[in-house]
């Protein structure tokens, strides 16, 4: 292997490796590994510390076996036996130790071990001891490895790498395949500019690859992980900042100076005063609008923090300057509600608001498009119908994208008008920590609204044990009797194979028995658009008391009279999703209540659900979600075999250094002409080649 040119080694397909047949090729493809280079970059997710090797004979003699704990021992095999069980199952047992003192080890479903283990030979075993009345103390399925003559072990007696696994792809097999390939790491091309790497004090790539797979100690592991974390952030920043750079270099936006009299007139007409956070965000937006390059800003705020009012104030400023504004939202129901809200705010100022959604007839849509093109409409609210190829704008100055902050390059291109490119304001009610936001949304400036408007009574949340179900439903009925409205939510529409409670099946029982005497309606995603709209409007108008629904109500919809929510099978929803759902209540002046009902087989002590009891802050819950699931899961930062590690995320210096290094490199060499390999990789991913 070492005699081949570098490109031939790292570019060789994995099937060229000994022992990697078609089955393993398919399994590796599922995790994004196709070449030897990919395999070398398939990093461990953690390490098992099996360095403390004890002598089994001594432990047995001293009678100090640590039952229930992980144990690494060296021991001789006295005997091995294979038993065939019913249903093609098998059990291998081995007696370890000596004639005077011994311990039995048991492996299920691994019949080959009867041939692998040789009587009289010494091995290292690592696993957990179990004690039972039937079998006594046994070693349950320990890892096995022959003692190496060099003292360099692979699967035991060291920090043992544990990889992201999939069906049929075990960490043991990956260690077996990857370790002999490590010399090829010297032939991987260095992926960071020397100046960047040296300034940040990072390992060369080859050393980092070797150390991250098989570190000698924690210090080597940390140094290797820091190198790959830095590279992960650095490349993401290069890509997103290059997109931002390209967007601003290639386009010109209308320069709209802030007009304090116009702003004051609009804000005075709102039914409440802006919070300090809203005012700060609005000032940042106005500063962006007062430039001739397009604004790219993400407005982040918790559920109910008043992002729409801030966006509306920005739109009013744009319209007052003679331009149009558009707001794109993810669902037609939300589009209709936003259109009604904005119309109530804008009509006193003589501003016309129009709706453009897929559920309208073709004649209706064409008439709206005609009015937009003629300039008869100043503000348009809609779904993706807004960015169809045949969309025509008179003078589009501002595009607002609600809950779709990953608005891509192609979508932005569709918004370009004949006069100029509009400013772009994205909004999200899914808070993530600021450090992570800087990485995830590196091509956008970030504004945060940290608080909610005053006067909202808040939501009391409780996880309900099975014994408390009846009391929870009784509490819902009390709120209904007081003139309030309620949501009852389910994770699925119809009966599922998982045996979950489902909206359609439960609706009949709720309507005729549990909530008899109250008006109950059903809402889910498979309904026709016009039926969904009618159901939501009936609930908004107070014609319905109880809305039985799936998570279709998650985003944005506002019902001030809804004061109670009961979520069945709550363990099926993500933490951020539960917080979003809970945000549908507590939006009026009434104290509100959210009851989380885990399924019958779920523990009430679910850590995620308990977090919702303790906190109603989306920002705090985002931190908890980050700890529970990791940053890769939270915002899609995963890449093959590696996500930004918890240590990397917590290292504010690393995040800042990687971001600053990317910014500085692009300032010095905007098109990366001095770094052809880097240019090719970045430009290709950024869709700019």
């Amino acid at each position: 292997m070492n005699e081949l040119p570098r490109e031939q080694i790292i570019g060789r397909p994995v099937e060229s490796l000994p022992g990697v047949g078609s089955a393993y090729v398919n399994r590796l493809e599922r995790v994004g590994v196709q070449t030897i280079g990919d395999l070398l970059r398939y990093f461990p997710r953690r390490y098992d510390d099996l360095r403390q090797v004890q002598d089994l004979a001594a432990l047995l003699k001293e009678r100090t076996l640590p039952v229930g704990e992980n144990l690494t021992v060296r021991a001789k095999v006295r005997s091995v036996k294979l038993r065939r069980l019913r249903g093609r199952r098998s059990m291998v047992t081995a007696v370890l130790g000596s004639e005077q003192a011994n311990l039995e080890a048991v492996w299920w479903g691994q019949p080959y071990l009867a041939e692998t283990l040789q009587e009289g030979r010494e091995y290292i075993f690592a696993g957990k001891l179990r004690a039972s009345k039937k079998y006594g103390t046994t070693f349950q399925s320990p890892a096995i490895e022959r003692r190496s003559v060099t003292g360099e072990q692979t699967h035991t007696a060291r920090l043992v790498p544990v990889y992201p696994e999939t069906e049929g792809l075990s960490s043991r097999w990956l260690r077996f395949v990857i370790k002999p390939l490590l010399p090829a790491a010297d032939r991987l091309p260095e992926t960071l500019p020397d100046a960047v790497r040296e300034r940040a004090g990072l390992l060369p790539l080859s050393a980092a690859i070797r150390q991250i797979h098989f570190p000698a100690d924690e210090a080597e592991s940390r140094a290797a992980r820091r190198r790959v974390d830095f590279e992960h952030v650095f490349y993401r920043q290069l890509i997103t900042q290059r997109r931002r750079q390209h967007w601003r270099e290639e386009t010109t936006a209308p320069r709209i100076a802030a007009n304090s009299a116009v702003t004051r007139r609009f804000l005075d007409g709102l039914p409440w005063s802006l919070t300090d956070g809203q005012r700060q965000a609005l000032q940042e937006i106005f500063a962006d609008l007062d430039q001739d390059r397009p604004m790219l800003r993400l407005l982040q705020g918790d559920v109910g923090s008043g992002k729409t009012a801030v966006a509306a104030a920005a739109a009013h400023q744009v319209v007052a300057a003679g331009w149009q504004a558009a707001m794109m939202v993810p669902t037609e129901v939300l589009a209709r509600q936003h259109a009604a809200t904005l119309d109530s705010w804008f009509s006193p100022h003589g501003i016309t608001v129009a709706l453009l959604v897929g559920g309208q007839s073709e004649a209706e849509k064409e008439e709206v498009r005609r009015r937009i093109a003629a300039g008869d409409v100043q503000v348009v609210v809609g779904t993706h119908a807004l960015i169809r190829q045949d969309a025509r704008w008179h003078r589009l100055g501002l595009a607002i994208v609600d809950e779709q902050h990953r608005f891509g390059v192609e979508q932005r291109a569709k918004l370009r008008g004949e006069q100029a490119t509009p400013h772009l304001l994205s909004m999200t009610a899914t808070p993530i920590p600021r450090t992570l936001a800087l990485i995830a949304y590196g091509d956008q400036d970030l504004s945060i609204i940290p608080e909610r408007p005053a006067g909202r009574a808040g939501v009391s949340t409780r996880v309900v044990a099975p014994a408390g179900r009846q009391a929870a439903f009784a509490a819902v009925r009390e709120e209904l009797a007081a003139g309030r409205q309620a949501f009852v939510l389910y994770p699925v529409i119809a009966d599922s194979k998982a045996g979950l409670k489902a909206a359609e099946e439960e609706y009949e029982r709720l309507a005729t028995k549990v909530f008899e005497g109250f008006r109950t309606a059903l809402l889910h995603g498979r309904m026709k658009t016009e039926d969904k709209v009618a159901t939501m409007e009936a609930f908004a108008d107070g014609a319905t008391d109880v809305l039985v629904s799936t998570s279709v109500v998650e985003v944005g919809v506002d019902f001030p009279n809804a004061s109670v929510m009961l979520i069945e099978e709550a363990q099926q929803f993500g933490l951020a999703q539960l917080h979003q759902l809970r945000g549908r209540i507590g939006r009026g002046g009434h104290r509100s209540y959210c009851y989380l009902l885990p399924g019958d087989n779920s523990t009430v002590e679910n850590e995620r659900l308990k977090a919702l009891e303790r906190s109603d802050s989306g920002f705090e819950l985002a931190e908890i979600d980050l700890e529970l699931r990791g940053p890769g899961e939270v915002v899609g930062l995963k890449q093959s075999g590696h996500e930004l590690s918890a240590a990397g995320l917590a290292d504010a210096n690393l995040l800042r250094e990687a971001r600053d290094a990317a910014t500085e490199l692009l300032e010095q060499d905007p098109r990366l002409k001095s770094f052809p390999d880097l240019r090719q990789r970045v430009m290709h991913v950024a869709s700019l080649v």
Side-chain angles (χ1 to χ4, degrees):
M1 179 182 292
N2 288 334
E3 295 177 358
L4 291 172
R6 180 177 68 189
E7 294 76 10
Q8 290 188 31
I9 295 173
I10 63 175
R12 279 170 54 183
V14 289
E15 57 258 41
S16 65
L17 295 172
V20 182
S22 59
Y24 276 109
V25 169
N26 292 333
R27 294 165 191 165
L28 289 168
E29 281 185 355
R30 287 205 301 268
V31 295
V33 174
Q34 295 180 320
T35 67
I36 290 175
D38 295 336
L39 196 54
L40 287 170
R41 281 188 166 274
Y42 194 72
F43 301 141
R45 57 185 176 88
R46 62 177 175 84
Y47 304 91
D48 285 341
D49 189 350
L50 305 180
R51 288 175 290 183
Q52 187 177 353
V53 182
Q54 302 183 69
D55 182 68
L56 180 61
L59 290 175
L60 291 168
K61 183 178 180 180
E62 297 167 5
R63 298 185 179 182
T64 55
L65 291 175
V67 175
E69 298 180 15
N70 289 315
L71 180 67
T72 304
V73 297
R74 55 180 177 272
K76 282 187 178 181
V77 175
R78 292 192 62 237
S79 65
V80 184
K81 183 185 296 184
L82 170 64
R83 291 179 58 190
R84 297 290 182 181
L85 308 175
R86 293 180 183 177
R88 301 179 67 182
R89 296 175 65 229
S90 66
M91 180 177 74
V92 173
T93 58
V95 177
L96 313 179
S98 64
E99 187 174 345
Q100 291 75 28
N102 54 63
L103 176 71
E104 187 173 68
V106 180
W107 296 268
W108 304 92
Q110 301 178 63
Y112 61 88
L113 291 178
E115 300 294 331
T116 302
L117 290 171
Q118 299 178 28
E119 295 180 6
R121 191 176 285 277
E122 188 172 75
Y123 296 85
I124 295 177
F125 299 88
K128 188 168 286 190
L129 295 178
R130 303 288 187 189
S132 68
K133 291 182 180 179
K134 185 175 182 179
Y135 297 106
T137 300
T138 57
F139 224 161
Q140 291 289 319
S141 300
I144 311 161
E145 187 172 21
R146 286 183 60 174
R147 294 190 67 185
S148 168
V149 294
T150 65
E152 172 70 15
Q153 302 295 134
T154 301
H155 309 290
T156 60
R158 64 170 308 128
L159 284 178
V160 177
V162 179
Y163 295 87
E165 297 179 353
T166 187
E167 186 177 355
L169 195 64
S170 70
S171 288
R172 185 180 182 89
W173 185 87
L174 285 163
R175 291 191 292 267
F176 176 78
V177 173
I178 290 173
K179 193 173 184 183
L181 296 177
L182 292 182
D186 292 334
R187 304 206 173 190
L188 283 167
E190 178 57 63
T191 48
L192 289 176
D194 291 341
V196 169
R197 183 177 58 77
E198 291 168 6
R199 187 180 309 149
L202 301 171
L203 290 172
L205 179 62
S206 56
I209 293 289
R210 289 194 298 271
Q211 289 180 199
I212 202 168
H213 285 292
F214 290 93
D217 51 34
E218 289 88 351
E220 282 198 0
S221 170
R222 285 194 299 270
R225 184 67 67 176
R226 188 174 190 277
R227 154 67 202 232
V228 297
D229 279 342
F230 185 99
E231 181 178 327
H232 185 90
V233 178
F234 176 74
Y235 269 96
R236 189 179 184 96
Q237 287 298 301
L238 278 180
I239 291 164
T240 54
Q241 290 189 40
R242 179 60 192 134
R243 281 176 177 159
R244 172 193 179 92
Q245 194 179 59
H246 177 77
W247 171 252
R248 290 190 160 183
E249 286 174 349
E250 301 297 321
T251 59
T252 301
R255 185 167 187 171
I256 300 169
N259 186 319
S260 58
V262 168
T263 304
R264 187 165 52 252
R265 198 160 50 241
F266 175 76
L267 296 181
D268 287 347
L270 293 177
W272 59 81
S273 298
L274 296 190
T275 64
D276 291 342
Q278 287 175 303
R279 291 185 181 279
Q280 176 62 35
L282 193 55
Q283 290 305 313
E284 291 167 352
I285 292 168
F286 284 167
D288 285 349
L289 292 174
D290 195 10
Q291 299 182 51
D292 60 4
R293 62 176 186 266
M295 170 173 67
L296 287 172
R297 183 167 290 277
L298 174 66
L299 179 60
Q300 186 185 61
D302 208 344
V303 175
S305 61
K307 296 179 296 299
T308 303
V310 172
H316 184 262
Q317 192 78 220
V318 168
V319 171
W323 295 83
Q324 294 169 303
M327 176 180 283
M328 191 171 82
V329 299
T331 67
E332 186 165 326
V333 169
L334 187 56
R336 291 178 182 276
Q337 185 169 53
H338 272 322
T341 299
L342 294 180
D343 184 60
S344 70
W345 292 347
F346 285 142
S347 58
H349 302 283
I351 296 173
T352 303
V353 178
L355 178 72
L356 185 60
V357 293
Q360 294 170 315
S361 69
E362 285 304 317
E364 286 178 305
K365 286 186 283 190
E366 185 53 40
E367 173 60 16
V368 173
R369 292 191 187 103
R370 185 195 65 75
R371 295 177 63 208
I372 293 170
D376 297 335
V377 171
Q378 289 81 48
V379 178
V380 189
V381 183
T383 54
H384 268 81
L386 289 177
I387 54 172
R388 276 183 38 167
Q389 293 290 354
D390 58 354
R392 303 182 302 278
W393 298 93
H394 179 63
R395 296 186 81 207
L396 182 60
L398 173 65
I400 303 163
V401 185
D402 189 17
E403 288 301 341
Q404 299 188 44
H405 42 268
R406 297 187 182 279
F407 200 56
V409 175
E410 292 181 5
Q411 287 85 356
R412 290 176 189 169
K414 292 178 182 178
L415 285 171
R416 293 180 185 174
E418 293 181 6
Q419 292 82 10
T421 296
H423 297 282
L424 179 63
L425 175 66
S426 300
M427 302 192 297
T428 177
T430 307
I432 61 175
R434 178 180 282 272
T435 52
L436 193 55
L438 291 174
I439 302 165
Y441 315 126
D443 63 339
Q444 301 178 74
D445 295 308
L446 182 64
S447 291
I448 295 177
I449 304 176
E451 74 275 78
R452 294 191 183 97
R456 295 199 171 177
V459 179
S460 174
T461 302
R462 187 159 67 88
V463 181
V464 180
R469 289 179 56 84
Q470 295 304 317
F473 278 99
V476 175
R477 288 193 295 271
E478 287 181 16
E479 286 294 301
L480 296 174
R484 308 281 84 81
Q485 292 169 286
F487 291 96
V488 181
L489 303 184
Y490 294 87
V492 292
I493 298 172
D495 186 34
S496 69
K497 295 179 181 178
L500 301 172
K501 291 183 176 68
E504 283 187 338
E505 283 78 10
E506 293 293 307
Y507 169 69
E508 190 67 28
R509 181 181 67 84
L510 294 175
T512 58
K513 296 180 180 178
V514 178
F515 299 121
E516 184 181 3
F518 297 103
R519 299 161 297 179
T520 305
L522 176 67
L523 177 72
H524 58 72
R526 291 182 193 162
M527 294 168 59
K528 293 180 179 178
T529 298
E530 55 266 31
D531 293 336
K532 284 190 287 187
V533 170
T535 301
M536 295 285 263
E537 288 179 346
F539 192 65
D541 293 340
T544 302
D545 301 309
V546 182
L547 191 60
V548 179
S549 177
T550 58
S551 61
V552 70
V553 299
E554 177 183 348
V555 177
V557 187
D558 196 2
F559 301 105
N561 192 46
S563 66
V564 61
M565 174 177 287
L566 190 148
I567 304 178
E568 291 273 21
E569 309 284 0
Q571 78 285 352
Q572 294 295 315
F573 297 92
L575 185 60
Q577 188 179 32
L578 286 168
H579 182 59
Q580 286 281 332
L581 291 168
R582 180 174 62 177
R584 298 311 102 220
I585 60 175
R587 303 175 79 88
H590 316 292
R591 183 67 180 171
S592 298
Y593 306 89
C594 179
Y595 299 101
L596 305 176
L597 278 61
D600 293 339
N601 295 323
S602 293
T603 172
V604 177
E605 299 304 319
N606 183 293
E607 190 174 352
R608 290 185 307 109
L609 302 187
K610 287 296 184 182
L612 285 153
E613 273 192 339
R614 297 190 300 269
S615 175
D616 66 351
S617 165
F619 290 96
E620 183 178 337
L621 291 169
E623 297 282 1
I624 296 170
D625 204 22
L626 193 64
E627 292 178 13
L628 293 175
R629 293 195 295 153
E633 294 286 354
V634 172
V635 292
L637 286 176
K638 270 194 171 182
Q639 58 186 30
S640 178
H642 174 58
E643 62 175 49
L644 184 64
S645 70
L649 180 68
D651 190 342
N653 288 332
L654 180 144
L655 298 177
R656 185 176 58 253
E657 287 176 21
R659 179 182 172 89
D660 290 349
T663 302
E664 184 177 334
L665 190 64
L666 285 173
E667 286 175 351
Q668 295 172 354
D669 189 352
R671 288 169 177 76
L672 302 174
K673 292 180 179 178
S674 301
F675 307 95
D677 291 343
L678 194 61
R679 171 185 166 81
Q680 180 62 27
R681 180 177 173 185
V682 169
M683 297 299 193
H684 177 74
V685 177
S687 302
L688 298 174
V689 293

